[in-house]
Amino acid sequence: MSFPADLDHLVRTDEPLAPLVWLGIGGPARYFAEPVDRVELARIYEAAHSAGLAVRVLGGGSNVLVREAGFDGLVISLSAAATSELSIDENRLTAGAGAKLSHAVIKSVGAGLGGLEHLVGIPGTVGGAVMGNASNGGRDIGSVVDTITVVESDGCTRTLSQQEAGFSHRKTSLLGLGVLETTFVLEARDVSALTKRMQKLWISRNSSRPSEQRRIAMPFVDPDGMPAKDLLQSCGLAGVREGDVSLDAAHPHYLIAHDGATSDQCLRLIERVREQVTLQTGIDLQLNLQIW
Ligand SMILES: Cc1cc2nc3c(=O)[nH]c(=O)nc-3n(C[C@H](O)[C@H](O)[C@H](O)COP(=O)(O)OP(=O)(O)OC[C@H]3O[C@@H](n4cnc5c(N)ncnc54)[C@H](O)[C@@H]3O)c2cc1C
């Protein structure tokens, strides 16, 4: 397909995605664009929509597994300054989708606003966290969302309420939409108490994560009433390996891509693990990781 001439400079073809995702594997995107602002974003969506091209937004790439064949459509990155801004107005924090979640957490804590600090240490962007209703310690990001501005497949934008976004455990009903901006309603709190709480949470997160492993993912959703880590351990799946991909031995809710790992090996390991869990416990372990 060809994009309108004035958008042509924005769109690259056969862009490698492996360097943009945490697992560091997978094929290229047929088209890739980094719009500088909302106007460009809307026009790109519109052009892709008219051409019947599938569109995905890439955030920090911490929750995406790209297949070997790559993605046969348009991948949009919202990392430009205009789509990554953070601002505070009284007890509200507004975040562009491309803003790093860690920056949003630190900014809110620094302003004495509580409600996001439990998300400290979760990699990725605000857009990615909202899309997948990221959570930690039983509290999810959706619980402090006020409104979300989204772009629809035809390039039109609209603002949704928390209720319309359909937040449930690690899920939303935002599939097919691009998250552009989110406003959070937070609670005024004491800055130093909040900072201490955030630091404590940060230390505890770091101690429960494979050290020195950079190419990792957290593929599964915790099933009802039990952390995936405990379930996998009790099923004897800690350290299980498929080619150059394994579940971590000490923290089996993390999948590790070792040197030589492929997307096919990841998919095979995930399937094997899910089958074993169902066989041993009857639990249908759901995937958090998005497969492109
Ligand atoms: C070490 C590690 C620890 C983790 N810990 C946690 C945890 O404690 N809790 C938790 O919930 N998750 C956790 N995760 C998973 C992951 O970090 C989160 O799901 C995170 O919110 C994904 O954000 P991202 O920007 O990296 O999204 P990406 O990986 O880039 O994208 C994930 C999905 O969201 C979509 N998406 C991203 N941005 C947008 C947007 N603006 N509009 C529309 N769709 C979008 C993508 O298309 C894709 O389908 C962890 C992952 C790792 C590697």
Side-chain angles (χ1 to χ4, degrees):
M1 84 162 264
S2 62
F3 284 86
D6 60 328
L7 293 180
D8 227 24
H9 67 285
L10 266 185
V11 183
R12 305 199 285 266
T13 50
D14 291 327
E15 180 79 3
L17 291 174
L20 304 179
V21 297
W22 273 54
L23 285 170
I25 48 181
R30 185 163 155 214
Y31 300 106
F32 184 87
E34 286 173 287
V36 298
D37 56 25
R38 284 186 184 199
V39 177
E40 274 189 359
L41 174 71
R43 296 209 47 227
I44 287 190
Y45 254 91
E46 208 184 329
H49 181 65
S50 310
L53 209 59
V55 177
R56 298 270 189 284
V57 180
L58 180 67
S62 62
N63 204 28
V64 170
L65 170 64
V66 183
R67 291 178 194 274
E68 311 288 347
F71 179 65
D72 186 19
L74 170 69
V75 173
I76 296 177
S77 160
L78 295 180
S79 55
T83 47
S84 310
E85 283 171 359
L86 291 169
S87 64
I88 288 183
D89 181 15
E90 297 189 349
N91 67 334
R92 280 163 198 270
L93 175 111
T94 297
K100 288 206 159 63
L101 182 62
S102 59
H103 292 177
V105 170
I106 288 166
K107 192 167 174 99
S108 59
V109 166
L113 294 175
L116 290 177
E117 66 283 358
H118 58 285
L119 303 173
V120 67
I122 299 182
T125 58
V126 172
V130 168
M131 192 68 192
N133 197 16
S135 67
N136 186 29
R139 291 190 61 195
D140 62 48
I141 196 167
S143 63
V144 286
V145 164
D146 183 25
T147 57
I148 307 173
T149 303
V150 294
V151 55
E152 293 177 299
S153 57
D154 58 1
C156 294
T157 57
R158 68 187 166 110
T159 299
L160 306 176
S161 65
Q162 182 202 51
Q163 216 170 12
E164 286 171 312
F167 289 105
S168 59
H169 184 46
R170 293 277 172 96
K171 266 197 214 145
T172 61
S173 51
L174 299 169
L175 209 69
L177 300 171
V179 173
L180 263 183
E181 190 176 271
T182 305
T183 298
F184 300 95
V185 187
L186 304 171
E187 251 181 61
R189 302 249 187 88
D190 174 65
V191 178
S192 67
L194 212 49
T195 308
K196 275 193 197 126
R197 183 169 146 70
M198 182 184 71
Q199 286 165 341
K200 233 170 119 180
L201 287 163
W202 171 246
I203 291 165
S204 116
R205 272 199 72 90
N206 272 349
S207 63
S208 61
R209 180 167 154 174
S211 53
E212 294 170 28
Q213 298 290 351
R214 290 193 50 80
R215 292 169 56 194
I216 57 178
M218 199 188 246
F220 304 112
V221 177
D222 288 343
D224 271 352
M226 188 189 238
K229 179 184 176 184
D230 297 346
L231 178 67
L232 295 164
Q233 233 143 16
S234 70
C235 290
L237 291 164
V240 64
R241 197 170 174 116
E242 174 80 38
D244 295 310
V245 177
S246 67
L247 295 191
D248 188 63
H251 311 285
H253 54 313
Y254 286 106
L255 176 145
I256 301 173
H258 306 275
D259 286 347
T262 65
S263 308
D264 285 346
Q265 290 171 354
C266 287
L267 291 167
R268 280 203 298 273
L269 182 67
I270 288 169
E271 261 333 288
R272 250 177 73 196
V273 167
R274 292 186 68 201
E275 266 171 35
Q276 269 304 312
V277 168
T278 308
L279 213 65
Q280 293 187 39
T281 66
I283 294 172
D284 179 17
L285 197 54
Q286 296 296 307
L287 259 195
N288 183 38
L289 192 65
Q290 301 295 305
I291 316 291
W292 284 13

